[in-house]
């Protein structure tokens, strides 16, 4: 395995930012909560917006590629809209609401 858990975490974060077209200036709104090796060839990386219960789980392979079919989990319903998102930038709020609605 050439990747470390730290490498996998950064790769997953870059993947999520690119997938949602989130500008670099909003990178600090996301945190890598966990990165664990599964088997010999891939990691599961858990990402979040600190202070919110929403989680992304992204598979990062030893090739440095991410599985585009990542998992998003949240106890909150997308139909609640932006009620709990008043203190985050608009793009972050839009991503969270969209993810919540699509699960």
């Amino acid at each position: 395995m050439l990747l470390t858990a730290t490498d996998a975490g950064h790769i997953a974060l870059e993947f999520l930012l690119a997938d949602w077209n989130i500008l670099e200036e909003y990178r600090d709104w996301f945190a890598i909560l966990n990165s664990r090796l599964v088997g010999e060839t891939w990691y599961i990386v858990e990402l979040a917006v600190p202070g919110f219960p929403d989680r992304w789980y992204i598979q990062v392979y030893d090739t440095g590629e991410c599985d585009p079919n990542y998992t998003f989990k949240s106890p909150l319903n997308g139909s609640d809209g932006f009620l709990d998102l008043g203190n985050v930038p608009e793009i972050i709020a839009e991503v969270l609401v969209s993810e919540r609605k699509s699960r």
Side-chain angles (χ1 to χ4, degrees):
M1 173 61 72
L2 297 176
L3 291 179
T4 66
T6 301
D7 294 335
H10 291 294
I11 290 168
L13 179 56
E14 292 301 321
F15 172 80
L16 187 67
L17 295 175
D19 193 49
W20 281 100
N21 295 314
I22 298 172
L23 298 176
E24 181 69 25
E25 65 190 80
Y26 298 111
R27 164 190 283 280
D28 292 341
W29 281 90
F30 294 88
I32 302 165
L33 301 182
N34 190 15
S35 181
R36 64 182 170 87
L37 184 62
V38 178
E40 295 181 14
T41 60
W42 52 286
Y43 286 89
I44 293 287
V45 177
E46 180 182 2
L47 303 173
V49 175
F52 293 90
D54 313 276
R55 300 290 183 266
W56 289 269
Y57 298 91
I58 300 175
Q59 294 179 38
V60 180
Y61 300 102
D62 60 355
T63 60
E65 294 183 40
C66 296
D67 185 337
N69 297 314
Y70 60 83
T71 300
F72 176 81
K73 291 188 177 184
S74 178
L76 303 174
N77 192 329
S79 64
D80 293 337
F82 295 86
L83 292 177
D84 66 327
L85 302 170
N87 295 325
V88 300
E90 184 177 348
I91 184 67
I92 306 299
E94 288 175 5
V95 166
L96 287 170
V97 169
S98 180
E99 290 278 34
R100 290 172 183 174
K101 284 182 178 180
S102 69
R103 60 176 183 88

